[in-house]
Amino acid sequence: MKALEEKIRRDGQVRPGNILKVDSFLNHQMDIEFINEIGKEFHRLFGDRPINKILTIEASGIGIACLTAQYFNVPVVFAKKSQSVNLDGDLYCTKIASFTHKRTYDVILSKKFLSAEDHVLVIDDFLANGCAVEGLLDIINKAGATLEGVGIVIEKGFQEGGKSLRAKGIDVKSLAIIKGMTDTDIEFEEQDD
Ligand code: 5GP
């Protein structure tokens, strides 16, 4: 998505540890008109699938998932990061290592909101090592639901997440894939439309 690449080049800031900050439009302040275009693009890419639910993880994925869900006319369910897991049987639980916060979270989702009848599109802001998406896939598997695809706004193609998910046959579509980044330059992979 060319407009996204231009926005990342213009407003993104590269921080130590391979972190890209896009706080001005995606992760802190949110440019709703632009994220709405992102939602439309995910619908263009996945709209032919029998998706009846969008799954993401708090916090940054929620807004993107919501604007996307309007085009699919389906609910959004988000996995919650939890301090204390109560193993009472009503929750799916998994563990996710956070790339940005350098810690592992227990992540939960109520069994009420995901079941074997569901056909799920996973949405997230970034794909780096793949831990967040792998955690969501673990929850989908526990629910016996069907994964229809994974939509990512920004994939850091120089990290392993995208490669390992695609090697498992998962349909991962990223709107921008960063090949490499330095303080002064961000290079993107060429993508077909
Ligand atoms: P992964 O689990 O694939 O290693 O990392 C993806 C998650 O970490 C995303 O949900 C995102 O919140 C966060 N993340 C990873 N890399 C970056 C980055 O460069 N910038 C920002 N803002 N978040 C990132």
Side-chain angles (χ1 to χ4, degrees), residues 143-192:
T146 305
L147 175 69
E148 293 290 343
V150 176
I152 298 290
V153 181
I154 304 171
E155 175 177 340
K156 293 188 291 180
F158 52 88
Q159 292 184 248
E160 291 307 305
K163 210 181 296 168
S164 76
L165 291 169
R166 291 183 183 100
K168 290 183 198 167
I170 294 166
D171 186 11
V172 182
K173 292 193 164 81
S174 301
L175 304 188
I177 303 182
I178 297 176
K179 211 196 259 182
M181 58 189 198
T182 65
D183 285 356
T184 51
D185 190 36
I186 299 174
E187 200 186 341
F188 295 93
E189 283 181 19
E190 289 290 331
Q191 292 199 80
D192 302 333

Side-chain angles (χ1 to χ4, degrees), residues 18-20 27 97 99-100 124-132 156:
N18 277 332
I19 302 280
L20 175 67
N27 287 140
F99 181 78
T100 39
D124 205 7
D125 57 345
F126 273 87
L127 177 59
N129 293 326
C131 301
K156 293 188 291 180

